[in-house]
Amino acid sequence: MDPIQAIENLYNSINGPLALGPPGGRANRDSQGGYFRLYPKGLIVWSAAHGARVVYSDPQPFASTWIQNGLCARVGYPIESMVTNPDLLGKRQRFENGHIYWHPEVPFQRASFIKEGPIWDKWVAQRWEQGPLGYPVQNERNIPTSVENLSVASQQFVGGRIFVYENRSTNAQVCMAFSNDGCALSGGQYTMKLERVRCIRESKGLGSDELGVSLVVTPTCAETAVHRWYHGDMDSGESRFPNLTLYEGKLPAGMSVSVIGLEKDGNRAFESQRNIFEETMRRIDDELDADRYLELSGRIVAGATALGVLVGTLVAGSSFAIAGASGGAGATIVISGGGAVGGIIGAAVAAVILITVFLGLDWKSPELLMLDRSIYVGDALSGIFLNSNMEIPTVTYPIDRLNVSIDFERIDGNRVREIRRYRNPAERSDYELHFVHELQH
């Protein structure tokens, strides 16, 4: 059928003068070979593949959203008519490349386009507009990044945000979501505990090690950092079981855990170094929010080769660097298993710690027995429990005088044990911290 006639026929069939108002001129041909005609309350679009469809603009601004997003070039032609959502208030319409959604209570009554792809798939997995994210309030936007071959995009919804990261050279991709209160949408009730402190070999000094361990924990869904403290005399072959709760509550979108272990022995420098560590951790964590956790972790999860890139957005003005940073300590992260190849962390490694940084202080005294800082991502932690067949990699890296390794083992369907081993060749010390992650869906 002739496109102009098809548009006219549809206009007459819906009582066009009432539904759309009088025509605003002649039908226009677009760049893709289709036609559209403007009316006061919308437009009618014709394509060879889908025929003529109405795109309304009153009260739901679908027509202006289609036009502002590049007409058929980006959104594509409409392939279905507008329909009412299950809440009986919102509206949606499907196009070739995605969907336009609108709800009268969305800020400014804006209609937003969701492109079919990883963000759409993540939103669908959360039950569309009926889930915790709710309606989209903005279109997808690209986020500039200095990491080579890495693209980052995000979209804001009423209840939270979705991020997608893609390594253009490897096609590795990860998509993560979090709520406005900083909780992971994949979540449930999450607990992290320090289960065990194991002394494989005490340091070279006389007598038992008078061990002091300080932990600073900052989840995105809490306003302030939480400090936990453990101390006790340790001899070679001895274990203590503090069962110390580090976090308990909703699964956070991200969480940093900073650890330092010092041999006290009455050394006055101990309190000074410990205080510096704790205050530095709190200051850095105060500057973090869910966006930054996901921005940083996404760079690594998506397989960015820049394990050695300084993370200025995280640690600007501080003495922190990613392990492996050029100009830093020259450390190297070695990944084995989990599908990682040659030090490039692929999407399979999304199930473990995503980034580790360390503190560059002068450790002449007291003896340094443990030191590291890790950022966990809620969606990644959830993935460990949801995919029981997922291989969890072993991670090893040097920090200043220390050699650190991280191993994981499954306890049951709801719990995973993380074993961190710290070896200081200069002090001949060898310690382990055992953490238990528990998630109740």
Side-chain angles (χ1 to χ4, degrees), residues 165 176 182 190 192 216-221 251-259 281 284-301 307 309-316 318 320-323 333 345 349-358 371-382 384 395 397 399 406 408 418 420 422 435 437:
Y165 308 85
M176 293 181 285
Y190 168 69
M192 181 180 182
V216 179
V217 182
T218 307
T220 51
C221 49
L251 180 67
M255 182 173 70
S256 70
V257 178
S258 304
V259 179
M281 295 299 99
I284 296 299
D285 286 340
D286 283 346
E287 299 171 1
L288 284 175
D289 55 22
D291 285 29
R292 286 187 172 179
Y293 274 106
L294 295 183
E295 176 188 352
L296 292 169
S297 59
R299 293 182 180 186
I300 304 304
V301 175
L307 283 179
V309 175
L310 291 174
V311 188
T313 55
L314 172 64
V315 296
S318 74
F320 283 74
I322 293 180
I333 296 180
I345 305 183
V349 189
V352 295
I353 297 170
L354 305 175
I355 201 171
T356 303
V357 294
F358 64 92
L371 178 67
D372 70 7
R373 171 179 167 82
S374 299
I375 291 179
Y376 302 82
V377 168
D379 276 3
L381 288 169
S382 181
I384 296 177
V395 183
Y397 53 91
I399 291 183
I406 308 170
F408 293 82
E418 173 189 347
R420 291 175 168 268
Y422 305 87
F435 300 96
H437 303 271

Side-chain angles (χ1 to χ4, degrees), residues 63-243:
S64 59
T65 301
W66 186 72
I67 294 171
Q68 291 165 7
N69 280 274
L71 306 174
C72 56
R74 182 184 178 203
V75 180
Y77 291 108
I79 61 178
E80 293 178 357
S81 299
M82 183 185 70
V83 296
T84 300
N85 292 330
D87 59 17
L88 303 181
L89 290 174
K91 307 286 185 181
R92 70 182 187 274
Q93 187 166 5
R94 186 181 177 191
F95 295 77
E96 289 177 321
N97 300 327
H99 308 253
I100 294 178
Y101 274 75
W102 171 87
H103 191 279
E105 296 178 4
V106 166
F108 310 111
Q109 294 195 5
R110 180 187 292 119
S112 299
F113 172 62
I114 308 181
K115 181 172 63 177
E116 290 197 354
I119 290 181
W120 165 260
D121 292 341
K122 189 75 170 180
W123 190 57
V124 168
Q126 299 292 331
R127 296 181 294 113
W128 297 274
E129 77 283 353
Q130 301 171 65
L133 285 168
Y135 281 83
V137 297
Q138 292 178 347
N139 295 335
E140 178 181 320
R141 64 185 182 92
N142 294 322
I143 300 175
T145 174
S146 60
V147 179
E148 185 178 1
N149 293 323
L150 181 66
S151 64
V152 183
S154 76
Q155 187 157 6
Q156 181 69 49
F157 296 79
V158 170
R161 185 176 299 180
I162 297 177
F163 276 81
V164 60
Y165 308 85
E166 181 175 5
N167 186 320
R168 292 186 292 268
S169 63
T170 66
N171 294 322
Q173 189 181 82
V174 64
C175 193
M176 293 181 285
F178 62 91
S179 63
N180 290 330
D181 61 1
C183 293
L185 296 176
S186 54
Q189 289 297 307
Y190 168 69
T191 303
M192 181 180 182
K193 292 184 177 182
L194 173 60
E195 176 192 45
R196 180 184 183 189
V197 180
R198 181 187 177 202
C199 177
I200 300 172
R201 183 173 62 192
E202 62 193 273
S203 62
K204 65 184 180 181
L206 297 176
S208 303
D209 283 344
E210 191 178 350
L211 174 66
V213 180
S214 178
L215 303 103
V216 179
V217 182
T218 307
T220 51
C221 49
E223 295 183 359
T224 59
V226 176
H227 170 242
R228 293 289 183 264
W229 169 247
Y230 168 80
H231 69 277
D233 292 341
M234 301 293 295
D235 293 310
S236 297
E238 185 177 13
S239 290
R240 298 291 180 88
F241 296 86
N243 204 31

